[in-house]
Amino acid sequence: MRRPRATGAADSRCPSCGARLLRQWVGDRAALLATVDPAAPLTPDEQAAARGPNRLIWCLHTSPYAPPRLTWITSWHPPDCPHPHVADHDCPPRQPTTLF
């Protein structure tokens, strides 16, 4: 049985910082679990700064008739894409509240 390319979009919260997250299995045979912050779309300059070896940029397709769908932005992506672009969630470091 072959799975669809993107499955199971689910809203949740980050247990560390409390940000609203979107988690979704993506890729061929749903091989990668993407966790993104949909409330923080990136500008093209922010995308270049955020991209790294362990951080991917995603195109977030939304529709009133279907659940949100993530598509990985690879080397080529339309420059006039109307969808917001988001990065993998990177939780900010927490400040300790107590010493012990």
Side-chain angles (χ1 to χ4, degrees):
M1 180 175 103
R2 185 173 172 150
R3 286 183 172 181
R5 293 188 67 83
T7 63
D11 287 329
S12 61
R13 296 239 176 229
C14 175
S16 186
C17 69
R20 188 175 73 88
L21 301 176
L22 176 68
R23 295 176 193 262
Q24 185 178 74
W25 288 101
V26 293
D28 193 26
R29 295 195 168 110
L32 180 64
L33 179 62
T35 304
V36 301
D37 183 0
L42 303 172
T43 65
D45 292 335
E46 291 171 332
Q47 291 176 47
R51 184 175 280 120
N54 296 323
R55 194 153 188 224
L56 302 175
I57 307 297
W58 302 91
C59 184
L60 179 60
H61 297 259
T62 57
S63 167
Y65 309 108
R69 184 174 53 92
L70 294 170
T71 304
W72 179 28
I73 296 178
T74 56
S75 58
W76 184 86
H77 195 72
D80 57 347
C81 176
H83 306 290
H85 297 153
V86 294
D88 286 328
H89 178 64
D90 187 23
C91 201
R94 289 188 352 176
Q95 298 296 325
T97 55
T98 59
L99 293 176
F100 302 100

